[in-house]
């Protein structure tokens, strides 16, 4: 007799029993794999936080890595409504008298004749000249003012003329505007009629032979620097003073341009350096801390990589730079000191005094080849660069994570095999128990049928 479902012969809930046995076999190992995976993923996350903090600090370090970063100049206008100015590190520290004589203008011409939008103008050739450059258009007898406008704007060899149409009481008028300002871009227009009658009032030449209105004359921008006149096609003057660009805003006289060392920019870079370093220290402390009260530890407590980079950076911050020509060899001499928490703070008075007395030498301390910024940058790059220490550590941990996935698959296969084996064993047991029960029932029946056998159901 075959058993169709495990447990029928014995009366035992075999399926539940097998499930419990399989779970008991796998739960400890599965929990151990989950715990190990959580630890590995926590380490990967921690190294990601460390790399991010180091990268942010490296950005602030690199802003102090070039001597040009410490030669910045500020250009101050006495009146931004008259002119503005910018200066780079090549500008001389000085003062200049500034006058804006006139602003540059773009040339604009408007035809005096009014046309209906369907009027044809006449055929011939229109030529536009700006300085030494020119371009020509062939106008057909069927072309309207709109067609001429579109042809001008679409010309591949257009030298810098924009055409538009205005609608006035007398009809449409064509507007020619130079796309660039200045005398060199003034527009000259000539027309040649196809019939050769270039002076009549009926052909293409009537667009330009009658006087064109000039709402805006071509005009160069002009300024005076210490009384000396300078002209430009536009309102920007970049070749007057080395490293300085002056932008004329409106006509005005009696103004002053002051070029000075840009202390604010340098102080801002140093403040950013300090703030990002302190943020990095916070990351070091969080990842490597231990709280005895709560018995909680940072994810990288005791880790050699964390300990190595934090020690290296602190050493570079506090070390003395040798071989410099200036009076500064440590950050402390600039007013940058370390407090009890290992963070940096700035004494602004000390820094300002250093900038007053030795402006360029402040930059040497950071930006010299063996300066603090360059040594810090190299140290950090060794940890966060491609194929750096952190990437190597993370890659190694990821291998362990991948191995846990393999172990889970192996555990699942083993539990499936165990379930199958137990099912076979319990099924065999169930069949045996069923067989024994059947034999017992048979023997009981046979014994009951023997002569003289006692039958409890009998009335005799």
């Amino acid at each position: 007799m075959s058993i169709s479902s495990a447990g029928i012969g014995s009366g035992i809930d075999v399926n539940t029993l097998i499930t419990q046995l399989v779970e008991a076999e796998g739960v400890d190992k599965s929990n151990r794999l989950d715990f190990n995976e959580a630890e590995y993923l926590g380490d990967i996350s921690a190294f990601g936080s460390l790399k991010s903090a180091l990268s942010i600090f490296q950005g602030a370090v690199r802003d102090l890595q070039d001597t040009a970063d410490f030669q910045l100049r500020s250009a101050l206008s006495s009146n931004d409504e008259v002119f503005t100015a910018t200066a780079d590190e090549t500008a001389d520290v000085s003062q200049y008298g500034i006058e804006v004589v006139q602003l540059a203008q773009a040339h604009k011409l408007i035809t005096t004749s009014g046309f209906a939008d369907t009027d044809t103008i006449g055929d011939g050739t229109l030529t536009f000249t700006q300085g030494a450059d020119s371009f020509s258009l062939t106008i057909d007898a069927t072309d309207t003012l709109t067609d001429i406008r579109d042809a001008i704007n679409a010309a591949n060899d257009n030298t810098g003329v924009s055409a538009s149409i205005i609608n006035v009481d007398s009809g449409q008028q064509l507007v020619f505007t130079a796309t660039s300002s200045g005398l060199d871009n003034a527009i000259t227009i000539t027309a040649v009629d196809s019939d050769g009658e270039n002076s009549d009032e009926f052909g293409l030449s009537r667009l330009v032979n009658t006087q064109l209105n000039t709402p805006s004359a071509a005009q160069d921008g002009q300024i005076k620097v210490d009384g000396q006149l300078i002209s430009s096609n536009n309102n920007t003057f970049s070749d007057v003073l080395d490293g300085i660009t002056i932008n004329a805003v409106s006509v005005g006289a009696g103004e002053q341009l002051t070029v000075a060392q840009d202390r604010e920019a340098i102080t801002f870079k140093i403040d950013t350096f300090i703030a990002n370093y302190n943020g990095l220290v916070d990351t070091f402390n969080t990842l490597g801390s231990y709280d005895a009260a709560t018995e909680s530890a940072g994810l990288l407590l005791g880790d050699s990589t964390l300990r190595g980079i934090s020690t290296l950076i602190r050493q570079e911050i506090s070390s003395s730079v040798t071989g410099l020509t200036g009076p500064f060899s440590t950050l402390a001499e600039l007013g940058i000191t370390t407090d009890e928490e290992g963070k940096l703070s700035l004494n602004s008075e000390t820094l300002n005094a250093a900038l007053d007395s030795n402006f360029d030498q402040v930059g040497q301390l950071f930006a010299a080849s063996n300066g603090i910024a360059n040594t810090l940058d190299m140290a950090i790059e060794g940890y966060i660069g491609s194929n750096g220490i952190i990437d190597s550590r993370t890659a190694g941990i990821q291998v362990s994570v991948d191995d846990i996935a393999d172990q889970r698959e192996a555990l699942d296969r083993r539990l499936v095999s165990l379930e199958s084996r137990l099912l076979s064993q319990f099924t065999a047991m169930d069949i045996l128990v069923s067989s024994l029960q059947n034999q017992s029932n048979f023997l009981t029946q046979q014994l009951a049928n023997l002569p003289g056998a006692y039958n409890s159901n009998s009335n005799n």
Side-chain angles (χ1 to χ4, degrees):
M1 178 179 178
S2 62
I3 304 298
S4 60
S5 179
I8 289 179
S10 62
I12 300 173
D13 188 352
V14 172
N15 288 330
T16 300
L17 180 59
I18 290 175
T19 299
Q20 292 174 346
L21 290 172
V22 171
E23 288 180 350
E25 176 68 20
V27 66
D28 288 342
K29 295 178 180 178
S30 180
N31 288 341
R32 185 167 62 253
L33 290 176
D34 290 344
F35 178 79
N36 290 340
E37 183 181 49
E39 280 197 328
Y40 291 142
L41 292 177
D43 288 345
I44 290 176
S45 176
F47 278 119
S49 298
L50 176 60
K51 186 174 182 178
S52 176
L54 286 168
S55 179
I56 292 172
F57 179 55
Q58 186 183 44
V61 166
R62 287 181 171 177
D63 280 343
L64 299 170
Q65 203 173 10
D66 193 328
T67 54
D69 294 331
F70 292 89
Q71 296 172 348
L72 301 177
R73 301 292 187 257
S74 62
L76 178 64
S77 169
S78 60
N79 189 343
D80 287 344
E81 294 183 356
V82 174
F83 79 96
T84 61
T86 58
D88 64 25
E89 69 276 6
T90 64
D92 294 326
V93 174
S94 187
Q95 289 184 333
Y96 307 92
I98 302 294
E99 176 185 353
V100 176
V101 178
Q102 66 182 30
L103 297 180
Q105 291 184 159
H107 196 198
K108 180 179 287 187
L109 300 170
I110 302 179
T111 59
T112 56
S113 300
F115 297 87
D117 57 3
T118 58
D119 285 349
T120 56
I121 311 305
D123 55 343
T125 302
L126 279 178
T127 300
F128 298 85
T129 302
Q130 293 178 286
D133 299 321
S134 64
F135 72 102
S136 297
L137 298 173
T138 299
I139 308 301
D140 294 331
T142 58
D143 286 342
T144 64
L145 215 60
T146 299
D147 295 324
I148 296 174
R149 176 200 64 188
D150 294 344
I152 293 170
N153 293 333
N156 292 329
D157 55 350
N158 189 313
T159 57
V161 178
S162 174
S164 60
I165 291 175
I166 60 172
N167 294 292
V168 297
D169 291 344
S170 60
Q172 291 185 335
Q173 291 177 266
L174 195 56
V175 182
F176 309 98
T177 305
T179 56
S180 298
S181 58
L183 293 173
D184 289 345
N185 296 300
I187 304 169
T188 300
I189 308 172
T190 57
V192 177
D193 293 340
S194 294
D195 61 6
E197 295 291 337
N198 298 328
S199 60
D200 60 30
E201 297 180 1
F202 303 101
L204 179 65
S205 57
R206 59 181 164 157
L207 280 177
V208 296
N209 285 345
T210 56
Q211 186 177 0
L212 291 169
N213 288 332
T214 307
S216 175
Q219 181 171 288
D220 282 345
Q222 290 184 337
I223 64 170
K224 287 184 178 180
V225 177
D226 288 342
Q228 306 305 305
L229 183 66
I230 304 102
S231 298
S232 171
N233 281 340
N234 51 49
N235 294 314
T236 299
F237 301 81
S238 57
D239 298 324
V240 181
L241 300 167
D242 289 342
I244 299 173
T245 298
I246 300 171
N247 299 290
V249 178
S250 64
V251 174
E255 305 300 341
Q256 190 173 65
L257 168 63
T258 301
V259 181
Q261 296 165 331
D262 194 348
R263 288 190 177 195
E264 290 185 3
I266 293 174
T267 301
F268 177 78
K269 289 177 181 289
I270 292 176
D271 283 339
T272 302
F273 168 82
I274 292 172
N276 289 339
Y277 175 80
N278 292 341
L280 180 61
V281 170
D282 286 336
T283 300
F284 288 159
N285 293 339
T286 298
L287 295 177
S289 65
Y290 179 77
D291 189 334
T294 61
E295 296 184 350
S296 60
L299 292 172
L300 296 181
L301 176 65
D303 183 83
S304 60
T305 299
L306 176 65
R307 185 169 58 251
I309 185 58
S310 61
T311 299
L312 179 58
I313 288 179
R314 287 187 173 103
Q315 287 175 345
E316 296 297 344
I317 288 290
S318 60
S319 65
S320 176
V321 180
T322 60
L324 301 181
T325 58
F328 310 118
S329 60
T330 65
L331 289 177
E333 292 169 330
L334 301 183
I336 304 171
T337 56
T338 305
D339 61 20
E340 295 179 354
E341 297 180 353
K343 295 184 176 181
L344 296 179
S345 60
L346 174 65
N347 185 316
S348 297
E349 291 184 1
T350 303
L351 178 60
N352 287 335
L355 292 172
D356 284 339
S357 60
N358 295 278
F359 188 89
D360 291 336
Q361 281 69 34
V362 171
Q364 288 186 18
L365 178 61
F366 287 96
S369 59
N370 63 331
I372 291 172
N374 284 312
T375 54
L376 280 173
D377 182 43
M378 287 188 291
I380 295 170
E381 189 65 17
Y383 278 82
I384 71 172
S386 57
N387 301 319
I389 293 175
I390 291 179
D391 279 356
S392 296
R393 286 294 308 275
T394 302
I397 297 171
Q398 187 59 52
V399 170
S400 298
V401 173
D402 296 339
D403 182 60
I404 285 179
D406 294 338
Q407 292 182 55
R408 278 204 181 96
E409 292 179 359
L411 176 61
D412 289 341
R413 289 193 298 270
R414 194 161 66 82
L415 293 178
V416 169
S417 176
L418 174 62
E419 182 180 31
S420 177
R421 187 172 71 253
L422 289 174
L423 182 60
S424 296
Q425 292 173 345
F426 276 102
T427 298
M429 178 204 72
D430 207 41
I431 293 172
L432 177 61
V433 170
S434 177
S435 176
L436 291 174
Q437 286 178 341
N438 290 335
Q439 292 179 19
S440 174
N441 292 336
F442 174 76
L443 290 174
T444 300
Q445 291 175 359
Q446 294 300 314
L447 290 172
N449 292 330
L450 291 176
Y454 173 75
N455 187 344
S456 61
N457 296 321
S458 173
N459 293 324
N460 295 324

